[in-house]
Amino acid sequence: MAQVVKIINIEHLTHDVLRITAEKPTDLHYLPGQAVDVSINKQGWEQELRPFTFTSLPEDDHIEFTIKTYPNHHGVTAQLLELGKGDELIIGDVFGDITYKGDGIFIAGGAGITPFIAIFKQLDKRDGIAHSKLIFANKTKADIILEDSFSKLLGSRFVNVLSNEQLPNYEYGYISAELIKKHIDDHTLYFYLCGPDPMMQAIEQHLSSLGIEDAFIVKEGF
């Protein structure tokens, strides 16, 4: 059932990523990693639904989304750049298959980091990060979402891969089977994947070549 929520705050996390905080409906329930269809409560945009992942925790008194914007597309995310406190969003039903199952390697590309933001928040708050690692692929350092937060949280278990920029202490190119294998250890149980379709296909091929069974791969079902 669709519900209208007021925006509390909007801030820029990177040059093209927004963090939007909004009121939380009293009957809203979700798990860290899950998402919801969102539209803007503005004439002509009410039916333009886009899936966005919650980056808040279920127990928070608000909801939060971390959204990559594409101003040149003149679509929903460009409209989000025009919104402010007091404007309204319409949220639908919760969905999503990415939830925490145990220690592993989280592999994200760009805005695909969003389900992992909430999962790592929950782990940090409740149980500690344990042995999980994050491999995060972006074009440039400027595109890395929450780099400082993940660095503090994970230290050397936070691996950044940049495809368009060569920098010291950052991997260059694309995520390879060799890179994934290098970070597998005795604590690695699951592989969590979220990113653009071409990247997802490549990573799944890498995992298959490493003998990883589908039962240990966590990703969206669609």
Side-chain angles (χ1 to χ4, degrees), residues 198-220:
M199 173 191 160
M200 292 283 286
Q201 292 168 12
I203 299 299
E204 288 183 66
Q205 289 177 355
H206 294 334
L207 294 177
S208 177
S209 74
L210 294 170
I212 306 301
E213 298 176 16
D214 287 348
F216 296 98
I217 299 173
V218 181
K219 60 177 183 172
E220 283 301 348

Side-chain angles (χ1 to χ4, degrees), residues 92-207:
D93 295 327
V94 173
F95 64 90
D97 297 319
I98 297 178
T99 57
Y100 183 70
K101 298 179 182 296
D103 275 344
I105 298 177
F106 291 75
I107 303 173
I113 192 66
T114 54
F116 304 155
I117 292 173
I119 289 173
F120 276 112
K121 275 187 185 177
Q122 183 189 48
L123 291 177
D124 185 42
K125 185 174 181 180
R126 296 186 182 176
D127 309 312
I129 299 302
H131 302 283
S132 288
K133 302 176 181 180
L134 171 60
I135 301 175
F136 193 10
N138 286 280
K139 290 180 179 178
T140 69
K141 177 177 167 59
D143 296 314
I144 302 172
I145 299 169
L146 297 175
E147 180 177 11
D148 289 346
S149 297
F150 282 121
S151 293
K152 289 176 186 173
L153 197 60
L154 295 166
S156 62
R157 287 176 286 140
F158 178 34
V159 180
N160 284 289
V161 183
L162 305 178
S163 61
N164 291 6
E165 193 172 43
Q166 295 190 55
L167 294 173
N169 303 316
Y170 292 77
E171 298 282 347
Y172 175 66
Y174 297 94
I175 298 174
S176 63
E178 290 73 25
L179 180 66
I180 296 170
K181 184 177 180 181
K182 177 179 160 185
H183 292 282
I184 295 173
D185 59 30
D186 292 342
H187 301 289
T188 305
L189 297 175
Y190 292 94
F191 295 83
Y192 300 84
L193 313 183
C194 193
D197 287 341
M199 173 191 160
M200 292 283 286
Q201 292 168 12
I203 299 299
E204 288 183 66
Q205 289 177 355
H206 294 334
L207 294 177

Side-chain angles (χ1 to χ4, degrees), residues 51-131:
F52 296 128
T53 306
F54 294 105
T55 51
S56 48
L57 292 178
E59 60 266 29
D60 290 343
D61 62 1
H62 61 274
I63 55 175
E64 175 192 287
F65 302 102
T66 302
I67 299 172
K68 185 169 183 178
T69 62
Y70 301 89
N72 295 335
H73 292 183
H74 307 294
V76 170
T77 66
Q79 287 293 312
L80 291 174
L81 288 165
E82 305 296 321
L83 301 183
K85 181 178 179 179
D87 287 325
E88 295 176 338
L89 302 176
I90 304 170
I91 63 170
D93 295 327
V94 173
F95 64 90
D97 297 319
I98 297 178
T99 57
Y100 183 70
K101 298 179 182 296
D103 275 344
I105 298 177
F106 291 75
I107 303 173
I113 192 66
T114 54
F116 304 155
I117 292 173
I119 289 173
F120 276 112
K121 275 187 185 177
Q122 183 189 48
L123 291 177
D124 185 42
K125 185 174 181 180
R126 296 186 182 176
D127 309 312
I129 299 302
H131 302 283

Side-chain angles (χ1 to χ4, degrees), residues 27-43:
D27 58 348
L28 178 68
H29 303 285
Y30 61 94
L31 297 172
Q34 290 191 307
V36 67
D37 281 325
V38 177
S39 63
I40 300 169
N41 195 22
K42 182 177 173 182
Q43 188 171 1

